[in-house]
Amino acid sequence: MIQHPAFPVEPWVLRETTLHPEMLPQTESLFALANGHIGWRGNLDEGEPHGLPGSYLNGVYERRPLPYAEAGFGFPESGETVINVTNGKLIRLLVDDEPFDIRYGELLTHERVLDFRAGTLTRRADWVSPAGRRIRVSSVRLVSLTQRSICAISYQVESLDGPVRVVVQSELVTNEELPPRGGDPRVAAVLEAPLESVEYGAVDGRAGLMHRTRHSDLTVSAAMQHAVACDADTHTWTETRPDLARLTVGTRLQQGQPLRLVKFVAYGWSGTRSRPALQDQVEGGLTVAAQTGWEGLAEEQRAYLDDFWARADVELEGDEEIQQATRFGMFHVLQSGARAEGRPIPAKGLSGNGYDGHSFWDAETFVLPVLTYTIPDAAAHELRWRQSTLPGALERASQLGLRGAAFPWRTISGAECSAYWPAGTAAFHVNADIAHAAAQYAEATGDEQFERTTGFDLLVHTARLWSSLGHHDGGGTFRIDGVTGPDEYSAIADNNIFTNVMAARNMRAAADVAQRYPKQARELRVTTDEVGAWLAAADGIVIPYDSARGVHCQAEGFTEHQVWDFAQTSPDEYPLLAHFPYFDLYRKQVVKQADLVLAIQLCPDAFTEEEKARDFEYYEGLTVRDSSLSACSQAVVAADTGHLDLAYDYLAETALMDLADLEHNTRDGLHIAALAGSWIVLVQGFGGMRYCPGQPPSFAPKLPAALTRLTFTLILRGRHLRVEVIPSRVTYILDGDGPPLEITHYGAPVTVAPGQPETRDIPPLPARPRPSQPPGREPVRRSLPEPVRRRRGQGTSPAERAQPAEKTARAEKAGKAAPAGP
C-alpha cells in the first residue's frame, strides 16, 4: 500500500489521503490501535464496509478441536483461537434517515492518519448522501497506553449545506458476523458465535455487556459511557439486549453546527474472578476514564509516547521511506507489548486473527531484544508470562519422556496449540530462545530480582531439557539428535547448529545463575553434579562442519543433500510449501528462513570472521525467504560480512513487509517480528551492536552508501547510551549521572563517561563480491534517485517476484493449511 499515491511519505505519521475500499482489509491492520491488552483493528467507525471486524483482548480465546486422521501418543487434542470480543468501535450515523455508508452517495474527501507521536487514529470524511445532504464526519480514536482497560473515540458530525436531521448510534456489539473461515467445519462452528450472554444492562447513562466463552470458560465484560455536546436540542435513549448495547442521539443541525460525542469504552476479562468483581473492575476503569476526559486521555497518550520516542527513536538520513517505515514498525511493536502485563505477544500483535492469535518463538527472538533496550518493563512482563506457563511446559516435557520444560511451538494460554507436526513438535529450540531472551534481559538491565526469580526458573528448567534430550557419544561430544531448527524446510535433523549453539549458551547461563544463587539452586534441587553436566555438555556440543566445502552444516549431513532444483522452479511456485510436499523439501538443500545465519547473528562468538563470511555466502544461495522472519537476520549478517548494499536491500524488505504487503497477507494482521526487524537491522546490523554473555556491549558500526547518518539510543542498566553514526566515524554519548559505561568498539575497549562523548573512526570493511541467491529470489535492489520518489511506482521487494493474484490466492490457501510459524 505504501507504494500507492494515497500514502505519502511522512516521518511521523501514516496518512491515507484517499479511501480505496478494496484495500480495507490491509489498511484495517495498518491502522490498528492496541496497548498489548486491547486491540482494535482500524475499521471504519460505522463498521461497514469492512474486511475483518476485529476487537481483541490479549489472552481471550476459544478452544477448538485439533483433528487427526489417526491419533497418536502425545498429540495435542485441542487448540486455541483468538476470538473477536465485544466491538466498542461502532458509531453509526443516519442523515435524514439514510445511513452514512461510503458505498452510497458520494464520498468527496476521505483521509485517515495514524499518528505515531499522538497514538491516535484520525479520520475526516466529507460525504453527500443519496438525497444530496452534505455532511462532514470527523473522529479521533485511541487505545490508552496509560489506562490499560480504556479505549476512547471523539466523534463529530457537522452539516455543510443547511438544516439536516441526524441520528448517531453508538454501540457495543458481540458475536458480529465474520467472514467465513476455511478448513475444518467443526472449527468454524466453534468460532461462529463463541460468546454466550451472562448479563446486560444500562444505568445512569452507562451500558454494559458481559459474556462467557462456551468452551474455554473465560468471562468478558465491556461497558461504555458518553459525553454529548451540541448547541441544538438533542434526544438520547439507551437500550440493551444480550449481544447489543446502544446509545442513540438525535438532533437537527443547522449549517456549520456540530454534534460531538465522546465515547469511553472499558474492557475486562478473567478466567477466575467472579462476575461482580469483573463488573466492578470495568466500572471503575470507566469512571476514571470519564473523569480524565477526552482531552486528558489524549494528553496522557502524547506524554507516554514522548517519553517512549525520547529513548526508542531510530533516526536515519538518506531514506525517508525507511525512516517512516521504521517508526511505523516501532509504534506497532510498542502497541503489541506495552501493557500486555502477564500475557504473551502474539505473532500478529492484536492487529488481526492471523495464526489464530498465537505466540511463537519470534516474540523472544525478534521482539524482546527491541523491548529490552527500549522499554524493558514490557520485555520483563512477557518473560514472566512464560514463567507462569512453566507448569504446562514441565508437564509437556514429561509427556514426551523428557526432564525440564518443553515450551509450546504455538500457544495463547501456554498449552501446545499446534497439531502434531515434525517441524513444530520437534522445534525444541524455542526453549533456548526463551532462555536467551531472559539472560539478555538480565544482562542488559542488571535486574537482579528478575534474574533471581523469573530468569532463574526459565534458565534451569530449559537447561534440564537439553541435558535429557541430548546425549554424550563415545568420543565425549554431546549430541542433540532428531530436532527441527528455525528452518521449517528441514525437520527431524541431527545436531542442528542453531539448536546446538543456543542450547550450549542456555546451559552455560543456567550453570552461571545456579552458582551465583545457591539458595534458589537448593530450592530447585540443582546439584553440583547437574551444573557440571551442563557445562560438560555445552563444552562438548557438536558443531557440524563440512571441511570439503569449507562451511558449517545447517545440521549434520545437510550439505550432502541434493540441492533443490531452483532453475526449474517457477516464480509462481513460491512459497514452496504451497506447491511441493514437505517430505521433498526435507531431503533437499533448500532453506525457508535464516537458520545457521540466525545462529551467527545471535551467537557471533561461536564463529570466526572468515567462517561467517563463507557460511553466509553458501546459505544465501539456498535461502528462498518464504518466511517474513528471514530478511532481517540475513541483513544483519550481510552487514557483518561487509555486504552493506545487500543488507540495505534486506532492510527495505523487512521494513516494508506490511506497508507494501509483501507477503500478501497483511489483511490477517501485521508481522510484528518483521516490524521489529527494522530496529534489529539498523541497531545490530548497521550499528553493529551485539550482546555476548558476560561481556560489555560491543559495537562495530558501518553504513551503506545510501545512508548518511544513523542515530539510536539504548537503555543499558538504566542508563541511556546514544550512538551517532556517520560513514567515517561514530560517537558514543552517555546521558545522565553515574559511573562510566564500558563498551567495545571493533573489539577495543572504550570507557564512556556521562557528558563526555567518545568518538572513534570506523575502519574500512573488506571488499567481497555480492553473493547470489536462488534464481528469482534475490532481494530487489534498493535505489533512491530524487527525494525518495515520493509517489513511488517502483517495487521494493519480494512483491516484485510475487505471484499473479489468482496464484497468490492458491498459495495462501495452501499455506494456511500448514501449521507453520510466522
Side-chain angles (χ1 to χ4, degrees):
M1 283 78 64
I2 197 172
Q3 296 167 335
H4 194 284
F7 293 87
V9 171
E10 299 180 60
W12 284 104
V13 303
L14 178 66
R15 185 186 306 273
E16 179 193 50
T17 58
T18 308
L19 185 68
H20 293 269
E22 73 279 3
M23 295 188 346
L24 278 174
Q26 292 89 343
T27 56
E28 288 166 359
S29 296
L30 297 180
F31 289 133
L33 293 176
N35 62 9
H37 174 55
I38 305 167
W40 273 3
R41 279 176 64 82
N43 306 111
L44 302 179
D45 300 292
E46 59 273 15
E48 298 178 17
H50 61 244
L52 174 69
S55 301
Y56 309 108
L57 290 175
N58 195 348
V60 174
Y61 64 91
E62 184 59 300
R63 289 197 182 94
R64 57 180 176 81
L66 289 176
Y68 298 96
E70 184 175 345
F73 179 79
F75 287 14
E77 295 179 356
S78 64
E80 300 165 349
T81 297
V82 65
I83 61 171
N84 184 37
V85 299
T86 302
N87 184 357
K89 302 187 293 287
L90 285 170
I91 302 179
R92 305 188 194 276
L93 173 64
L94 297 174
V95 180
D96 281 350
D97 298 329
E98 293 181 306
F100 170 51
D101 188 320
I102 57 99
R103 294 169 294 189
Y104 307 104
E106 183 182 1
L107 188 63
L108 301 176
T109 63
H110 194 278
E111 181 178 81
R112 288 188 290 176
V113 179
L114 182 67
D115 190 318
F116 312 145
R117 290 183 291 189
T120 56
L121 175 62
T122 300
R123 179 193 186 198
R124 176 170 167 167
D126 287 1
W127 179 74
V128 180
S129 74
R133 308 317 303 257
R134 184 177 174 185
I135 58 130
R136 172 171 296 157
V137 173
S138 306
S139 69
V140 186
R141 179 187 301 178
L142 66 81
V143 174
S144 178
L145 293 162
T146 57
Q147 299 188 29
R148 184 172 182 255
S149 65
I150 297 300
C151 309
I153 303 171
S154 175
Y155 184 93
Q156 181 170 295
V157 57
E158 177 183 354
S159 171
L160 298 180
D161 64 354
V164 63
R165 293 182 178 87
V166 298
V167 175
V168 175
Q169 298 172 315
S170 176
E171 299 179 343
L172 298 175
V173 177
T174 307
N175 290 322
E176 294 175 281
E177 183 177 349
L178 300 177
R181 294 174 64 103
D184 191 329
R186 293 173 294 177
V187 175
V190 167
L191 300 178
E192 185 175 348
L195 292 163
E196 57 183 4
S197 178
V198 173
E199 58 184 62
Y200 57 93
V203 61
D204 295 333
R206 294 185 178 185
L209 306 175
M210 185 176 289
H211 289 77
R212 180 191 295 111
T213 56
R214 300 178 188 276
H215 302 283
S216 56
D217 200 26
L218 304 176
T219 304
V220 175
S221 181
M224 64 180 181
Q225 180 173 334
H226 301 82
V228 178
C230 184
D231 292 339
D233 291 336
T234 60
H235 302 276
T236 64
W237 64 95
T238 303
E239 58 184 311
T240 58
R241 299 198 292 269
D243 287 350
L244 172 70
R246 177 189 292 142
L247 169 76
T248 301
V249 181
T251 191
R252 180 180 175 88
L253 296 177
Q254 302 298 319
Q255 182 175 350
Q257 188 175 38
L259 166 66
R260 185 190 184 207
L261 177 144
V262 174
K263 180 178 187 178
F264 304 98
V265 182
Y267 288 97
W269 74 270
S270 178
T272 57
R273 303 183 71 203
S274 67
R275 295 181 199 173
L278 186 58
Q279 185 174 27
D280 288 350
Q281 175 190 342
V282 171
E283 291 287 340
L286 201 56
T287 296
V288 173
Q291 289 175 341
T292 306
W294 169 260
E295 287 74 16
L297 284 173
E299 289 173 4
E300 289 180 0
Q301 191 89 332
R302 183 67 182 235
Y304 182 100
L305 285 162
D306 284 347
D307 180 61
F308 170 73
W309 289 116
R311 64 180 184 272
D313 189 25
V314 178
E315 302 171 80
L316 57 147
E317 296 177 6
D319 193 330
E320 296 174 4
E321 184 177 54
I322 299 301
Q323 175 70 88
Q324 179 192 34
T326 298
R327 287 177 175 145
F328 170 84
M330 285 296 295
F331 179 70
H332 279 292
V333 168
L334 170 72
Q335 290 196 132
S336 73
R339 302 302 305 273
E341 296 172 11
R343 299 297 166 194
I345 296 177
K348 296 288 188 180
L350 297 173
S351 65
N353 63 8
Y355 300 116
D356 285 322
H358 292 162
S359 178
F360 294 78
W361 64 287
D362 29 320
E364 284 80 16
T365 304
F366 298 94
V367 180
L368 286 203
V370 181
L371 297 179
T372 291
Y373 293 102
T374 60
I375 181 168
D377 283 350
H381 278 298
E382 198 276 349
L383 290 165
R384 291 190 183 103
W385 166 75
R386 283 290 191 185
Q387 181 194 28
S388 74
T389 68
L390 261 173
L394 293 168
E395 182 180 350
R396 178 64 172 159
S398 177
Q399 185 182 35
L400 297 174
L402 300 169
R403 295 182 67 230
F407 285 98
W409 171 242
R410 56 192 300 171
T411 190
I412 295 177
S413 71
E416 178 60 79
C417 292
S418 177
Y420 174 78
W421 180 52
T425 303
F428 291 104
H429 69 83
V430 64
N431 302 281
D433 303 329
I434 294 167
H436 177 82
Q440 183 175 25
Y441 169 84
E443 182 93 26
T445 63
D447 188 344
E448 185 177 328
Q449 191 275 337
F450 170 91
E451 185 180 51
R452 192 172 56 247
T453 53
T454 300
F456 191 94
D457 283 355
L458 293 173
L459 289 169
V460 166
H461 287 301
T462 49
R464 283 174 169 164
L465 175 85
W466 301 117
S467 62
S468 73
L469 182 64
H471 70 280
H472 287 278
D473 64 14
T477 56
F478 190 77
R479 303 178 57 86
I480 303 177
D481 296 331
V483 299
T484 300
D487 172 30
E488 294 167 12
Y489 286 171
S490 299
I492 316 299
D494 294 343
N495 293 307
N496 168 259
I497 279 191
F498 178 86
T499 302
N500 282 16
V501 297
M502 291 289 283
R505 177 171 282 191
N506 187 169
M507 289 186 283
R508 289 192 180 101
D512 176 58
V513 295
Q515 292 167 340
R516 288 192 290 112
Y517 298 109
K519 179 178 179 292
Q520 285 70 27
R522 287 192 298 272
E523 291 173 354
L524 288 187
R525 300 180 181 177
V526 180
T527 66
T528 302
D529 288 344
E530 186 174 25
V531 170
W534 292 337
L535 293 174
D539 291 341
I541 203 80
V542 172
I543 306 294
Y545 187 79
D546 184 336
S547 56
R549 295 174 175 82
V551 296
H552 286 96
C553 308
Q554 179 172 288
E556 212 164 58
F558 179 82
T559 54
E560 300 300 324
H561 292 175
Q562 181 182 357
V563 175
W564 185 267
D565 191 350
F566 296 108
Q568 296 302 313
T569 305
S570 62
D572 63 349
E573 289 181 306
Y574 291 96
L576 297 178
L577 63 90
H579 301 91
F580 299 94
Y582 269 108
F583 86 87
D584 201 21
L585 297 169
Y586 290 162
R587 63 195 186 94
K588 301 288 178 61
Q589 286 192 66
V590 57
V591 179
K592 179 183 181 184
Q593 64 203 76
D595 190 305
L596 189 150
V597 168
L598 181 59
I600 296 173
Q601 176 191 346
L602 298 187
C603 302
D605 51 337
F607 305 85
T608 68
E609 295 305 313
E610 190 56 37
E611 286 172 344
K612 293 176 188 177
R614 291 199 306 270
D615 287 347
F616 178 71
E617 181 176 356
Y618 185 85
Y619 286 93
E620 274 293 281
L622 302 174
T623 303
V624 295
R625 295 194 318 291
D626 282 348
S627 166
S628 62
L629 299 181
S630 195
C632 80
S633 295
Q634 289 175 268
V636 170
V637 180
D640 278 356
T641 54
H643 302 292
L644 293 178
D645 289 342
L646 177 59
Y648 181 53
D649 296 340
Y650 281 138
L651 166 63
E653 187 169 312
T654 193
L656 301 178
M657 185 62 63
D658 288 308
L659 286 172
D661 196 13
L662 301 183
E663 296 285 339
H664 308 290
N665 58 7
T666 296
R667 64 173 183 266
D668 300 326
L670 303 174
H671 298 78
I672 298 300
L675 296 181
S678 301
W679 185 96
I680 290 172
V681 176
L682 291 168
V683 173
Q684 296 185 4
F686 299 140
M689 188 276 286
R690 282 299 186 282
Y691 152 73
C692 288
Q695 300 179 24
S698 65
F699 297 86
K702 54 275 187 184
L703 293 181
L707 300 183
T708 58
R709 186 180 185 88
L710 168 67
T711 302
F712 58 89
T713 301
L714 303 174
I715 301 178
L716 296 168
R717 298 186 173 252
R719 317 284 296 285
H720 289 193
L721 177 68
R722 184 173 175 86
V723 182
E724 299 180 351
V725 187
I726 60 174
S728 60
R729 62 185 182 273
V730 58
T731 300
Y732 303 101
I733 304 167
L734 186 62
D735 295 337
D737 300 322
L741 180 68
E742 301 296 329
I743 64 171
T744 65
H745 170 80
Y746 280 93
V750 177
T751 300
V752 187
Q756 299 179 28
E758 295 288 339
T759 299
R760 297 292 185 274
D761 291 336
I762 296 176
L765 293 173
R768 292 191 174 97
R770 185 180 175 109
S772 60
Q773 294 77 32
R777 306 306 283 174
E778 306 89 347
V780 169
R781 296 291 182 100
R782 180 82 177 159
S783 60
L784 291 173
E786 289 120 19
V788 167
R789 298 184 182 177
R790 293 181 179 272
R791 302 290 184 185
R792 344 151 178 64
Q794 71 207 41
T796 48
S797 158
E800 293 292 287
R801 36 169 225 261
Q803 307 89 336
E806 68 277 4
K807 294 178 179 177
T808 298
R810 186 173 70 245
E812 289 171 348
K813 181 178 179 182
K816 281 188 176 181

